[in-house]
Amino acid sequence: MIGTRSPMLGLIDRYLLREAAKVFLAIVLVLVLILASLMFLRTLEEVNLGGLGVDVVFRYLSLQIQRDVYTLLPPAFFLAILVTLARLSRDSELIAMQACGVGPPRLYRTFLILAVPVALLTGWIALDLKPRAAAGIQEIRLQQKEQAAQIAGLQPGRFYVEQRGEVVVYIGEIDRRKALGDVFVLDRRGDRTRLVVSESGRHRIEDTSGDHLITLNKGHRFDGQAGSGAYLIGDFEQYQIRLAGEGQTRRASSKRATIPTPDLIRSDDLADRVELEHRLAAPLSILTLVLLAIPLVDPSPRRRATGRVLLALLAYFSFFNLQRLAESWMATGVTPEWIGSLWYQSAILVFVHLLLLPESFWIKRLGRRLLGDRAARVEPS
């Protein structure tokens, strides 16, 4: 009798993949909705406080979701595998599969088939989409800060004293576009006193130096000393006054999360390597959590699963808490640089498998073989 070769994915494999994928998508959808709701409320609070403009709310919210969504995929995938296997165990389907020869090796292979594309998607988001979204968020923040700084505290019809009284500025009008009108400037810096009046002007902060630049249009300038008749009078189309700021605001506010991944790979800085491994941790954890989740579910519905549930919770919280701890240790030099910050994944995996070793499929299979060999050697008396 000539047997037919079974396809790579059999009926049971497709069933497992379909069940796990449905649960995974449902968990991701719920987590994304919760994340979007929290970020939307926080964004509205910033708009209410004046830290964010109404015109950039939805773009800002979209960039925040793009930046943080990769952190939801590993825990969502871990919970999806646990929920799927727990449901199959409760309905005695895992026992039936084992009776048909579908044991843990088949489960590992099937769920790894699903884990690989999820890990690739997570890697693309963490390595490429996240830094671009973080850069977009930073750009919006800087623009909002500059716009706020350009108009913060300025009210029409008031005098403003700067540089310890050496510069006095008066603004008659401020329109909706934040343009200045009827501007008066008294500048006493240097050996001459300059009096400048203008019909219009603008105020901005220079990106490179952080200095305040006041640009006046179509005005008059009077240079001289009070009490002296030697005055220089002139008209100008554009006149600029520079006031010392706090220095390089745009560069100082840059974050490592906005650095593109290729630049992190080429960098020799320890902090850049920590950031790179932080991005790599998400896609690698997808594969690690598959190997971690399968043995945490008991296939028998008759045995109490309280111990394994507690172990699953312990493994879940330890996994993601150790990630932050390992990255902190690497950044501060507590652990050697050659160890890196990804060792916690192997540590949790080995720890859980050692705890479950007495009940593992492989140990039970080895025990049955040993008992079978001993029974075969015993001769009836």
Side-chain angles (χ1 to χ4, degrees), residues 123-162:
W124 172 72
I125 297 175
L127 298 175
D128 182 60
L129 186 61
K130 174 203 169 183
R132 290 193 285 112
I137 291 174
Q138 184 189 27
E139 186 64 27
I140 292 177
R141 288 282 190 186
L142 289 172
Q143 291 177 358
Q144 296 297 313
K145 275 188 178 180
E146 290 178 358
Q147 291 177 6
Q150 290 172 13
I151 203 66
L154 297 183
Q155 297 180 9
R158 292 185 58 182
F159 286 91
Y160 296 90
V161 181
E162 303 289 342

Side-chain angles (χ1 to χ4, degrees), residues 247-267:
Q248 298 189 357
T249 55
R250 183 174 292 269
R251 294 183 183 179
S253 60
S254 62
K255 295 181 179 179
R256 189 162 274 103
T258 63
I259 301 177
T261 300
D263 295 343
L264 294 178
I265 296 175
R266 292 189 294 265
S267 175

